[in-house]
Amino acid sequence: GAEIAFRRMMRYPPYSHLAEVVFEGGDIRRLARQAREFSEGVRRAGQGGEVQGPSRALGPIRTKGSQRLVVLVRSPRREDLLEILAPPLQAARSVRSVQLLP
């Protein structure tokens, strides 16, 4: 129905592969700089990857005084997504989690 049409139009899973990269730390400026550097690294990798963010992560914060930012990376092929993510993830600091969908 409408959800499938929306997902196809927005290139969300199952019509693409998506990685959610969460950055966490106490200093929002440092965290934002690291998340932007990661996003730029993904953009430089090319290979058809799209980047959204960084933006503030939704949901509860696990520890008081901690900030979270999220970067979404989308690619038509899972193999390309993994290749796109590898170099920027190796250089990134403050990455709390990486979740691949689907």
Side-chain angles (χ1 to χ4, degrees):
E3 177 67 18
I4 293 296
F6 176 75
R7 287 180 168 276
R8 183 178 298 125
M9 179 181 70
M10 297 301 293
R11 294 184 308 278
Y12 285 160
Y15 299 99
S16 69
H17 295 275
L18 187 67
E20 177 186 68
V21 182
V22 178
F23 293 79
E24 186 171 344
D27 183 340
I28 191 66
R29 288 187 177 153
R30 182 180 311 144
L31 203 60
R33 184 177 67 252
Q34 292 172 11
R36 282 192 310 272
E37 288 171 1
F38 172 82
S39 295
E40 287 304 314
V42 170
R43 286 185 183 97
R44 281 192 302 273
Q47 300 175 11
E50 296 177 42
V51 180
Q52 284 184 263
S55 60
R56 286 197 180 264
L58 301 176
I61 302 296
R62 293 175 193 247
T63 57
K64 189 174 183 179
S66 186
Q67 304 288 326
R68 288 189 305 157
L69 296 176
V70 66
V71 176
L72 298 176
V73 182
R74 181 176 26 242
S75 179
R77 296 186 37 201
R78 185 178 184 90
E79 296 80 17
D80 292 342
L81 180 61
L82 296 174
E83 196 170 317
I84 291 166
L85 288 173
L89 278 175
Q90 288 177 347
R93 298 177 309 275
S94 302
V95 172
R96 173 155 179 80
S97 66
V98 177
Q99 182 176 5
L100 297 177
L101 307 168

